[in-house]
Amino acid sequence: MKNYLHILIKGAFVLFLIAYLTVLYTSDSAKNVPMEQIAQTMEQDSDITSLNKEARSDLKHYYQTDDRNIDGYFFYKAASPMAVEEICIMKATDNTQANTLLENANAHLSGQKQVFEGYGTDQMALLNNAVVGKKGNYVYYMCGADAQNWRTAFLSMI
């Protein structure tokens, strides 16, 4: 009887471990959605389209990456240098590159906070609520009053 109990406990533990590892492995995966489809969906939000669509030189300036090295990007930023509203979604070619892009996005957020610290109270409030993250090979930086909604909309696509 004790022998069966040990086997049952070990079996339950192995099943739990397999389930846990499966959840862990799939938690960072994302569907392979073309950037054009993401752009089309995100551009339905008038708060995003009221921002300026940025060029590839701006992507290099703010995120230290060249659009020729990634699978695509979606980048809108406020026209005024005193505004921090911004949305950038980049699709990396692999996980290693995605981690580098995530570091660059976090560095951009830190840089923005240093610029506005001490005098830009409205900007700092938005920056403190900005969302930066990675899901699969996608990296996102979203700062604005609707940043959480943008994140939810984006993550629901992938």
Side-chain angles (χ1 to χ4, degrees):
M1 182 71 172
K2 274 189 171 184
N3 216 6
Y4 290 117
L5 185 59
H6 282 36
I7 291 172
L8 183 63
I9 291 172
K10 287 179 184 179
F13 181 70
V14 168
L15 288 176
F16 172 76
L17 191 58
I18 289 170
Y20 177 73
L21 291 175
T22 301
V23 168
L24 224 109
Y25 179 72
T26 59
S27 66
D28 190 41
S29 65
K31 292 186 277 185
N32 187 15
V33 180
M35 286 305 295
E36 294 79 20
Q37 184 179 345
I38 291 171
Q40 186 179 32
T41 302
M42 298 302 286
E43 286 172 344
Q44 292 175 3
D45 187 331
S46 61
D47 289 335
I48 292 174
T49 55
S50 68
L51 303 172
N52 286 347
K53 188 171 187 173
E54 299 297 315
R56 60 193 245 187
S57 60
D58 298 308
L59 187 69
K60 186 167 182 80
H61 178 261
Y62 293 109
Y63 295 96
Q64 293 73 47
T65 191
D66 192 338
D67 73 313
R68 292 174 285 209
N69 297 333
I70 59 177
D71 277 348
Y73 71 96
F74 175 82
F75 188 19
Y76 279 77
K77 184 168 177 47
S80 169
M82 293 305 296
V84 295
E85 290 82 359
E86 178 177 345
I87 179 170
C88 183
I89 301 168
M90 299 172 278
K91 185 177 180 185
T93 56
D94 58 37
N95 195 44
T96 304
Q97 185 183 45
N99 288 331
T100 301
L101 292 174
L102 180 60
E103 289 174 15
N104 293 350
N106 281 318
H108 176 60
L109 179 59
S110 295
Q112 289 285 82
K113 285 181 177 180
Q114 286 179 345
V115 167
F116 290 100
E117 188 173 26
Y119 70 91
T121 56
D122 293 340
Q123 292 91 339
M124 282 303 292
L126 291 173
L127 289 167
N128 287 330
N129 292 318
V131 290
V132 179
K134 177 177 99 63
K135 178 87 171 159
N137 287 344
Y138 296 92
V139 173
Y140 54 90
Y141 174 100
M142 300 172 184
C143 183
D146 288 335
Q148 294 295 336
N149 293 333
W150 296 343
R151 179 184 178 269
T152 302
F154 168 65
L155 291 178
S156 70
M157 281 186 279
I158 61 167

